[in-house]
């Protein structure tokens, strides 16, 4: 039986070790057929982007020997001569920016210098060429020896493409992987402006009017706005998860999954695997599985979230922390509901937490959400939802981490234990501290205040999902309660929770706000729903807010 190359991103290594390989070589044909000079393909992390880039490199590269054997028996070699003749034809540049990150700009530039050094080592044979001028070799050596300044680093890829073209007499194929890692890292670490200035020039020099390049393929997680970084690229085309092109070239399709299940004998778990790791849609291809999670499951046979939180998620976490409007909608997503949103796939990173269209675009592009319906294509309005159980667990984890980060000296589980055991005074004491910390972290507008408090408390209560049904904004009696906590044990303590923000025109004090909230609970008979289902231990909680002031009362 073949092995599982978890985390293996080198095509040659995977083939030589005879690990299980899902044949994605028709991607090569599609790249050849695509008429754009620069192709950017965005896909979620760990969906096979780097392995596919490695595969392209080994297929096209004329500087590597015996690569034809690597593709023996694969689909691309069954194609007509106009495709197979491209095997081993072009000099190639392959570069990844996945490790080009750092605590500050200088550290990031050192990482880039190291990456360029490794790239030039890969082509060190050029120093022996009789076709290159001494001055060209000196320029090459400057980068090779880690002595390049920023200007020389900006021009490095153009220089290398020129020298390869001169040496081999053919245009160069450029493969640039994880192009957006430095940009996302710089935004999270707060040195974005310097970084975007450098890479705008770096890519401009590389792509604009570069006669030495045949074609460039770029991959990343997000589609950064072209005008902010790729403004100089000619004949540039972007393919996101909403586009049909390359839709089945990343991830595991349903047919490929059937073969995997049969080969590794995991038929008994196929329905659970589907619930956990299926559910992605790319273009016109539905039912795509997360390859990282599936391969990890096959290895250890545990149905758990493998798409774990790493630094790749830092930007997502930052956005979810800062955006109150997104948190309000997260409640419905966590209930497996579809929500209607406007999606902008062309991400503008600066101030993204203030632009909801950009946020939804990033969440869709990074695999946290999937599009289930196009509502208005011209207006970019879609219905979206969480793709599967694994992502739902990750969202819950992010919510829990968010609240846990803000609780100083008070563990979230401890706070919730005080609530469900009716230790209300202690719960209120800790809750006040939590609210003060949150208000120092996030501004809440007057028009969204009540919704924010609602989402804020609801986010806390997510941690009770194992022992409680957490319901929100549902009808009961003659109205809609804010939150109802329904214990799975009928003898447990049930809760009705109502939120009120002091309204200057109607209430002078926060105490009046409390009384109005209590009056609403009684007049609307919110507890009727619980009583009808046999719950007798019912506690009513009122949260009244006036800016940073919070008052809570139970009865």
């Amino acid at each position: 039986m073949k092995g599982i190359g978890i985390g293996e991103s080198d095509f040659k290594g995977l083939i030589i070790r005879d690990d299980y390989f899902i044949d994605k070589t028709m991607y090569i044909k599609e790249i050849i057929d695509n008429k754009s000079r620069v192709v950017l393909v965005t896909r979620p992390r760990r969906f096979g982007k780097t392995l596919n880039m490695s595969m392209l490199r080994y297929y096209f590269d004329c500087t590597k020997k015996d690569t034809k054997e690597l593709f023996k028996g694969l689909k691309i070699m069954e194609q007509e001569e106009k495709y197979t003749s491209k095997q081993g034809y072009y000099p190639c540049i392959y570069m990844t920016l996945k490790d080009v990150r750092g605590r500050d700009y200088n550290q990031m530039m050192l990482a880039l210098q190291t990456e360029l050094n490794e790239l030039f080592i890969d082509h060190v044979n050029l120093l022996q060429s009789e076709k290159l001028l001494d001055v060209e070799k000196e320029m090459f050596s400057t980068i090779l020896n880690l002595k390049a300044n920023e200007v020389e680093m900006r021009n490095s890829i153009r220089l290398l493409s020129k020298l390869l073209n001169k040496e081999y007499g053919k245009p160069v194929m450029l493969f640039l992987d994880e192009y957006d890692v430095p940009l996302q890292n710089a935004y999270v670490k707060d040195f974005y402006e310097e970084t975007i200035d450098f890479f705008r020039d770096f890519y401009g020099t590389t792509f604009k009017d570069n006669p030495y390049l045949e074609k460039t393929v770029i991959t990343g997680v997000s589609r950064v706005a072209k005008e902010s970084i790729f403004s100089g690229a000619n004949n540039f085309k972007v393919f996101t998860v909403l586009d049909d092109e390359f839709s089945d070239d990343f991830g595991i399709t349903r047919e490929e999954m059937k073969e995997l299940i049969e080969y590794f004998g995991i038929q008994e778990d196929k329905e659970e695997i589907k619930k956990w790791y299926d559910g992605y849609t790319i273009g016109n291809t539905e039912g795509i599985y997360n390859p990282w999670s599936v391969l990890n499951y096959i290895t250890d046979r545990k149905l758990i979230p493998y798409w774990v939180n790493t630094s790749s998620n830092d930007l997502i976490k930052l956005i979810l922390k800062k955006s109150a409007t997104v948190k309000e909608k997260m409640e419905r997503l966590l209930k497996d509901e579809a929500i209607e949103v406007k999606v902008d796939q062309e991400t503008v990173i600066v101030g993204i937490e203030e632009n909801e269209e950009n946020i939804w675009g990033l969440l869709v592009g990074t695999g946290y959400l999937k599009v289930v319906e196009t509502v208005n294509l011209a207006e970019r309005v879609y219905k979206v939802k969480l793709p599967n159980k694994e992502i739902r667990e990750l969202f819950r984890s992010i919510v829990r981490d968010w609240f846990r980060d803000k609780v100083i000296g008070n563990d979230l589980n401890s706070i919730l234990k005080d609530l469900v055991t009716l230790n209300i005074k202690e719960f209120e004491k800790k809750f006040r501290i939590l609210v003060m910390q949150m208000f120092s972290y996030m501004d809440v507008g007057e028009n969204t205040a009540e919704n924010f408090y609602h989402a804020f408390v609801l986010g806390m209560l997510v941690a009770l999902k194992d022992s409680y049904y957490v319901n929100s904004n549902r009808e009961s009696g003659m109205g809609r309660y804010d939150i109802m906590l329904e214990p799975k044990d009928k003898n447990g303590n049930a809760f009705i929770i109502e939120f009120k923000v002091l309204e200057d025109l109607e209430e002078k004090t926060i105490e009046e706000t409390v009384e109005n909230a209590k009056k609403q609970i009684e007049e609307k008979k919110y507890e009727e729903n619980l009583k009808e289902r046999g719950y007798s231990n019912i506690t009513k909680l009122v949260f009244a807010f006036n800016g940073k002031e919070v008052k809570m009362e139970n009865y």
Side-chain angles (χ1 to χ4, degrees):
M1 179 175 288
K2 294 180 181 290
I4 295 291
I6 296 175
E8 177 59 76
S9 58
D10 181 68
F11 174 77
K12 181 178 180 180
L14 198 71
I15 297 299
I16 288 176
R17 285 198 307 274
D18 197 29
D19 285 336
Y20 192 95
F21 176 68
I22 297 172
D23 191 344
K24 297 287 188 180
T25 56
M26 292 304 287
Y27 180 51
I28 299 169
K29 178 180 181 296
E30 293 172 39
I31 289 294
I32 294 172
D33 286 338
N34 191 282
K35 301 305 180 185
S36 301
R37 293 288 302 277
V38 182
V39 174
L40 169 58
V41 182
T42 64
R43 292 293 182 269
R45 63 190 181 88
R46 291 176 175 168
F47 259 60
K49 297 188 298 297
T50 301
L51 180 59
N52 273 1
M53 290 288 262
S54 174
M55 178 182 72
L56 291 177
R57 175 199 186 187
Y58 281 109
Y59 187 79
F60 289 110
D61 203 343
C62 68
T63 70
K64 306 294 182 186
K65 295 181 178 180
D66 304 324
T67 57
K68 190 172 184 178
E69 284 298 309
L70 300 176
F71 294 89
K72 187 176 181 179
L74 298 178
K75 294 175 183 177
I76 187 62
M77 302 309 289
E78 300 170 1
Q79 306 308 305
E80 55 193 284
E81 194 266 343
K82 79 170 186 175
Y83 300 107
T84 57
S85 64
K86 300 295 185 183
Q87 202 281 321
Y89 182 80
Y90 298 101
C92 294
I93 297 173
Y94 171 81
M95 183 178 184
T96 178
L97 300 184
K98 68 181 179 66
D99 296 321
V100 178
R101 59 178 80 223
R103 294 188 302 271
D104 54 35
Y105 180 75
N106 290 333
Q107 191 178 71
M108 183 204 69
M109 293 304 290
L110 285 173
L112 177 60
Q113 192 175 56
T114 300
E115 197 64 46
L116 288 170
N117 164 260
E118 293 179 2
L119 173 61
F120 275 57
I121 287 175
D122 198 37
H123 298 282
V124 72
N125 63 296
L126 290 173
L127 291 177
Q128 309 303 319
S129 172
E130 296 180 358
K131 298 179 182 179
L132 305 188
L133 302 174
D134 289 342
V135 67
E136 291 173 328
K137 293 179 181 180
E138 288 176 12
M139 294 167 68
F140 184 98
S141 297
T142 298
I143 299 169
L144 182 69
N145 296 324
L146 299 171
K147 294 180 179 180
N149 57 36
E150 285 197 17
V151 174
E152 290 164 331
M153 291 168 69
R154 284 191 183 101
N155 289 280
S156 58
I157 303 300
R158 186 182 181 91
L159 170 66
L160 184 57
S161 63
K162 175 184 177 181
L163 301 186
L164 287 170
N165 173 258
K166 195 171 183 179
E167 172 68 10
Y168 294 97
K170 298 174 183 177
V172 175
M173 297 284 276
L174 170 59
F175 306 113
L176 183 62
D177 193 30
E178 305 283 11
Y179 87 99
D180 53 344
V181 167
L183 306 178
Q184 292 196 15
N185 172 73
Y187 186 68
V188 171
K189 301 297 185 183
D190 201 25
F191 57 94
Y192 183 79
E193 291 303 325
E194 292 174 287
T195 302
I196 196 68
D197 284 346
F198 174 85
F199 278 101
R200 187 184 296 114
D201 290 341
F202 177 80
Y203 290 131
T205 303
T206 299
F207 300 130
K208 188 175 182 180
D209 301 324
N210 187 343
Y212 312 111
L213 294 179
E214 170 72 13
K215 178 171 287 193
T216 297
V217 181
I218 307 170
T219 65
V221 169
S222 56
R223 172 184 176 179
V224 177
K226 181 181 176 182
E227 60 270 16
S228 70
I229 192 168
F230 291 123
S231 57
N234 298 322
N235 198 2
F236 180 95
K237 181 67 175 175
V238 184
F239 301 96
T240 73
V241 295
L242 298 181
D243 296 307
D244 294 339
E245 290 89 345
F246 313 121
S247 63
D248 60 355
D249 295 317
F250 300 83
I252 302 174
T253 66
R254 286 173 178 167
E255 288 303 312
E256 292 164 345
M257 193 64 204
K258 286 180 183 178
E259 295 176 12
L260 264 172
I261 288 171
E262 182 69 26
Y263 185 83
F264 288 102
I266 51 176
Q267 291 89 341
E268 69 278 5
D269 286 335
K270 67 179 181 180
E271 291 304 317
E272 285 300 309
I273 295 171
K274 180 179 176 65
K275 290 178 185 177
W276 272 87
Y277 313 123
D278 186 10
Y280 297 93
T281 297
I282 299 178
N284 54 15
T285 303
E286 298 180 348
I288 294 177
Y289 289 73
N290 183 323
W292 174 261
S293 301
V294 168
L295 297 179
N296 272 280
Y297 166 77
I298 292 173
T299 300
D300 59 25
R301 304 299 171 93
K302 293 179 181 179
L303 290 162
I304 59 175
Y306 292 104
W307 214 52
V308 293
N309 288 317
T310 67
S311 57
S312 302
N313 285 324
D314 285 349
L315 181 60
I316 302 297
K317 293 177 184 177
L318 182 67
I319 292 166
L320 294 181
K321 284 180 179 181
K322 287 191 175 183
S323 176
T325 56
V326 170
K327 290 192 186 74
E328 293 166 21
K329 294 182 175 71
M330 196 184 296
E331 165 201 344
R332 292 172 60 194
L333 291 170
L334 286 170
K335 291 181 180 179
D336 202 28
E337 294 180 18
I339 64 173
E340 193 172 298
V341 295
K342 198 167 184 178
V343 174
D344 188 347
Q345 281 279 280
E346 194 159 287
T347 305
V348 178
I349 293 181
V350 175
I352 187 173
E353 65 275 4
E354 300 170 3
N355 185 330
E356 191 169 329
E357 294 177 27
N358 257 204
I359 292 172
W360 297 120
L362 185 63
L363 290 173
V364 168
T366 51
Y368 284 85
L369 297 174
K370 71 170 181 176
V371 171
V372 294
E373 181 183 339
T374 301
V375 178
N376 187 324
L377 184 60
E379 296 292 328
R380 306 189 310 275
V381 178
Y382 302 88
K383 278 190 177 180
V384 299
K385 66 183 299 187
L386 301 180
N388 53 43
K389 189 172 181 179
E390 179 176 41
I391 300 302
R392 196 172 303 117
E393 290 300 314
L394 283 174
F395 257 67
R396 286 179 175 138
S397 175
I398 288 173
V399 172
R400 285 195 296 268
D401 290 345
W402 177 57
F403 285 106
R404 190 175 294 116
D405 288 346
K406 295 292 106 187
V407 181
I408 300 175
N410 293 294
D411 180 75
L412 181 58
N413 291 331
S414 172
I415 294 177
L416 295 177
K417 183 179 179 182
D418 288 333
L419 174 65
V420 299
T421 58
L422 300 183
N423 188 6
I424 302 298
K425 286 187 177 180
E426 189 63 24
F427 171 78
E428 182 177 9
K429 176 183 174 183
K430 295 175 181 177
F431 184 78
R432 285 176 185 273
I433 297 173
L434 184 56
V435 168
M436 292 297 290
Q437 292 167 357
M438 290 307 301
F439 270 93
S440 67
Y441 186 76
M442 175 187 288
D443 292 328
V444 181
E446 292 181 6
N447 295 331
T448 62
E450 194 165 312
N451 287 332
F452 171 75
Y453 298 129
H454 187 161
F456 173 57
V457 176
L458 196 64
M460 289 178 58
L461 300 179
V462 166
L464 293 175
K465 65 181 177 64
D466 292 334
S467 55
Y468 277 83
Y469 299 108
V470 183
N471 302 313
S472 176
N473 281 326
R474 294 188 182 179
E475 291 186 5
S476 181
M478 296 183 292
R480 286 179 175 272
Y481 55 78
D482 281 337
I483 295 177
M484 182 180 288
L485 281 179
E486 182 180 332
K488 294 181 180 180
D489 178 359
K490 291 282 185 179
N491 295 318
N493 295 313
F495 296 87
I496 295 169
I497 301 175
E498 190 69 19
F499 304 95
K500 280 287 183 184
V501 174
L502 186 145
E503 299 176 6
D504 293 334
L505 297 178
E506 299 179 11
E507 302 153 348
K508 295 182 180 180
T509 66
I510 198 169
E511 285 76 20
E512 289 183 37
T513 306
V514 169
E515 292 306 314
N516 284 338
K518 290 165 63 176
K519 184 178 178 181
Q520 180 175 323
I521 290 175
E522 299 308 318
E523 288 181 349
K524 300 295 185 181
K525 299 182 179 180
Y526 290 157
E527 64 187 294
E528 292 301 315
N529 191 278
L530 286 169
K531 287 182 176 179
E532 288 174 2
R533 295 203 304 281
Y535 291 98
S536 57
N537 301 322
I538 302 173
T539 297
K540 302 163 190 174
L541 281 177
V542 170
F543 289 86
F545 299 91
N546 182 22
K548 294 184 180 182
E549 183 183 6
V550 57
K551 185 173 180 62
M552 194 187 77
E553 190 168 318
N554 68 288
Y555 65 102

